[in-house]
Amino acid sequence: MQVKGQSSAADRMEVNQAKQEHLLALKVMRLTKPTLFTNMPVTCEDRDLPGDLFVRLMKDDPSTVKGAETLILGEMLTLPQNFGNIFLGETFSSYISVHNDSSQVVKDILVKADLQTSSQRLNLSASNSAVSELKPECCIDDVIHHEVKEIGTHILVCAVSYTTQTGEKLYFRKFFKFQVLKPLDVKTKFYNAESDLSSVTDEVFLEAQIQNITTSPMFMEKVSLEPSMMYNVTELNSVSSDDESESTFGKMSYLQPLDTRQYLYCLKPKPEFAEKAGVIKGVTVIGKLDIVWKTNLGERGRLQTSQLQRMAPGYGDVRLSLELIPDTVSLEEPFDITCKITNCSERTMDLELEMCNTRSVHWCGVSGRQLGKLSPNASLSIPLKLLSSVQGLQSISGLRLTDTFLKRTYEYDDIAQVCVVCPYTSPES
């Protein structure tokens, strides 16, 4: 039974260690680039009471630019006065110094720096070996770097252990807490090349909206899309003229605070995947965005999004697409198209093709012909001939595919559109 007022040996040890005056001093400073010094120029007209007093004072001010004293930015640099903000994707750098404030030599000094995040603990020390001795008024310096990859609370833990001349081993540590903020707000949207599933292509358009949610402007050095192994990507963020490519955002790609910019990309499946109808189904991985920017005085930041995913459009059991179709045709003159039929199911189909005339489009050929058996993921190209009896923009409709095994019919209307013109009409009329 413990008497009230007594303390255990562990408690006394902690109290003695807290009262222990350490021989070493630990200093930690974040390394950031300075900012340009700004001043507030004060001017007046010559006929005012001060006369040219303000002009002479600004000319004598060492912080102003000679010949441009009224410019707000000066020639001097200002060191950071506080810890500042740290954003995701930037490199956190810190200077750690251990100084011997005592008058005796300290031995076996070990300095360790760890960064504690919400999910892991990282060792940032350049060396894990101890320094044999540290003389009075001498110091041990170290610079650590870390690319910040998580947002939220981060704690820099600096621990120092050493041995005194009497052989006593001492240990202390300090904690430095800081927040990592999100610099950009990234939103993505996917668009299919066509909205009609009967004529949809495998092309995918990705729109990436990037907003600067910091308080300072950014120079967008690179915004690219790294596609997955199934796709090839084409950037649509430049305009070509006279064999030169110019960015749609201009030569100076700055993004002001709270400004938003849209980037557009076109993705096409690689040939080896496009030929297999069953490969691109359900949720597919498109790729990831790689964003690189620079802030004041060239401080660099980089972000990579997670893998972007989209739900591939459903084609049903049978997909019908057009491989060849003219843009403009003549009135009441036959023209050729080429249809591609793909079996998207997991069973073999025995298909029959039926062609139904509409008010403006008439099919040429035999309707109700057998196409034969089509294996899963296999494709079949069929040339067809038709004509239009009405001028203007006409929709091609009336194709029917019947699976003779299940007696199931698939209807395809509004497959595409063609412009029908009268070849006998002169331009003057």
Side-chain angles (χ1 to χ4, degrees):
M1 180 175 175
Q2 188 175 356
V3 181
K4 185 178 181 181
Q6 285 186 332
S7 61
S8 62
D11 294 336
R12 290 195 300 270
M13 185 180 298
E14 290 184 1
V15 172
N16 293 335
Q17 187 172 356
K19 293 182 178 180
Q20 173 73 41
E21 185 175 350
H22 288 282
L23 306 178
L24 303 181
L26 173 65
K27 295 181 180 180
V28 178
M29 179 186 299
R30 182 193 174 192
L31 297 180
T32 57
K33 291 188 177 181
T35 57
L36 292 172
F37 177 78
T38 58
N39 52 29
M40 188 58 66
V42 179
T43 60
C44 66
E45 296 183 2
D46 295 337
R47 60 184 181 181
D48 291 338
L49 183 60
D52 62 344
L53 175 62
F54 293 148
V55 176
R56 287 187 283 107
L57 290 176
M58 286 191 295
K59 288 183 178 180
D60 296 337
D61 189 349
S63 64
T64 59
V65 179
K66 302 306 177 185
E69 289 79 9
T70 57
L71 189 66
I72 295 179
L73 292 178
E75 293 182 326
M76 292 187 175
L77 298 176
T78 304
L79 294 176
Q81 303 299 314
N82 50 37
F83 190 82
N85 295 324
I86 299 180
F87 294 99
L88 184 69
E90 295 182 344
T91 300
F92 169 70
S93 301
S94 182
Y95 167 71
I96 300 176
S97 178
V98 177
H99 187 267
N100 188 354
D101 291 342
S102 67
S103 58
Q104 57 178 290
V105 178
V106 179
K107 299 181 179 180
D108 300 330
I109 305 97
L110 179 62
V111 182
K112 186 178 180 181
D114 293 339
L115 186 62
Q116 177 70 52
T117 68
S118 58
S119 62
Q120 58 183 336
R121 189 183 183 100
L122 303 170
N123 182 18
L124 305 182
S125 301
S127 175
N128 293 323
S129 59
V131 179
S132 58
E133 66 175 19
L134 185 63
K135 297 179 180 180
E137 300 302 324
C138 293
C139 62
I140 300 174
D141 298 326
D142 189 15
V143 176
I144 59 174
H145 303 279
H146 173 67
E147 184 179 349
V148 182
K149 299 181 179 180
E150 296 182 40
I151 60 175
T153 303
H154 287 57
I155 303 176
L156 180 63
V157 183
C158 298
V160 180
S161 62
Y162 61 96
T163 304
T164 63
Q165 286 183 337
T166 60
E168 182 182 6
K169 294 184 177 180
L170 298 178
Y171 169 86
F172 69 94
R173 60 181 180 174
K174 289 185 177 182
F175 301 88
F176 303 89
K177 183 185 294 186
F178 59 92
Q179 294 288 332
V180 175
L181 307 176
K182 186 170 70 169
L184 299 171
D185 186 21
V186 182
K187 298 178 181 178
T188 57
K189 294 181 180 179
F190 290 104
Y191 303 92
N192 297 321
E194 295 286 346
S195 59
D196 185 11
L197 293 182
S198 63
S199 61
V200 71
T201 67
D202 289 326
E203 290 185 2
V204 181
F205 290 92
L206 170 64
E207 177 191 353
Q209 298 181 0
I210 301 177
Q211 183 183 26
N212 178 9
I213 56 177
T214 68
T215 58
S216 60
M218 290 182 177
F219 174 75
M220 307 304 292
E221 183 174 303
K222 183 182 75 170
V223 179
S224 62
L225 177 64
E226 298 179 0
S228 63
M229 59 178 294
M230 297 173 60
Y231 291 92
N232 292 320
V233 63
T234 302
E235 294 193 10
L236 304 177
N237 304 308
S238 59
V239 179
S240 300
S241 60
D242 300 332
D243 297 333
E244 293 184 0
S245 181
E246 182 179 353
S247 173
T248 55
F249 309 112
K251 296 181 179 179
M252 306 303 290
S253 184
Y254 285 103
L255 192 60
Q256 298 295 334
L258 300 181
D259 277 2
T260 302
R261 181 174 292 174
Q262 287 86 12
Y263 294 85
L264 186 62
Y265 304 90
C266 177
L267 296 108
K268 297 182 180 179
K270 295 181 179 179
E272 57 268 27
F273 295 103
E275 295 175 356
K276 300 178 182 179
V279 174
I280 306 178
K281 281 185 176 181
V283 178
T284 57
V285 176
I286 297 296
K288 55 185 178 181
L289 287 170
D290 187 14
I291 307 171
V292 181
W293 71 90
K294 289 182 179 179
T295 55
N296 297 333
L297 295 180
E299 293 178 290
R300 189 185 181 97
R302 180 183 181 184
L303 278 182
Q304 277 191 336
T305 64
S306 57
Q307 291 288 352
L308 303 176
Q309 296 180 339
R310 69 180 279 266
M311 179 65 69
Y315 304 117
D317 293 337
V318 183
R319 177 188 178 189
L320 188 143
S321 58
L322 291 179
E323 291 184 330
L324 178 64
I325 183 171
D327 295 329
T328 305
V329 298
S330 299
L331 180 67
E332 297 181 350
E333 290 187 7
F335 60 93
D336 297 320
I337 65 171
T338 302
C339 295
K340 182 179 180 181
I341 301 173
T342 305
N343 183 359
C344 299
S345 67
E346 298 178 355
R347 55 184 174 82
T348 301
M349 290 185 171
D350 191 3
L351 297 176
E352 178 183 299
L353 177 62
E354 181 182 359
M355 300 177 291
C356 302
N357 294 332
T358 63
R359 186 184 64 86
S360 59
V361 174
H362 306 275
W363 296 92
C364 304
V366 179
S367 178
R369 59 172 169 162
Q370 298 290 333
L371 300 180
K373 294 182 179 181
L374 195 61
S375 303
N377 298 330
S379 299
L380 175 65
S381 296
I382 302 175
L384 298 175
K385 189 182 293 290
L386 64 160
L387 60 86
S388 177
S389 58
V390 180
Q391 295 186 77
L393 192 64
Q394 303 299 327
S395 295
I396 298 177
S397 303
L399 287 180
R400 305 290 184 262
L401 286 172
T402 302
D403 182 7
T404 58
F405 287 155
L406 299 180
K407 304 299 181 180
R408 183 179 298 173
T409 301
Y410 305 91
E411 300 180 356
Y412 299 94
D413 294 319
D414 297 325
I415 303 172
Q417 292 180 328
V418 293
C419 182
V420 182
V421 297
C422 181
Y424 310 109
T425 304
S426 60
E428 290 78 6
S429 60

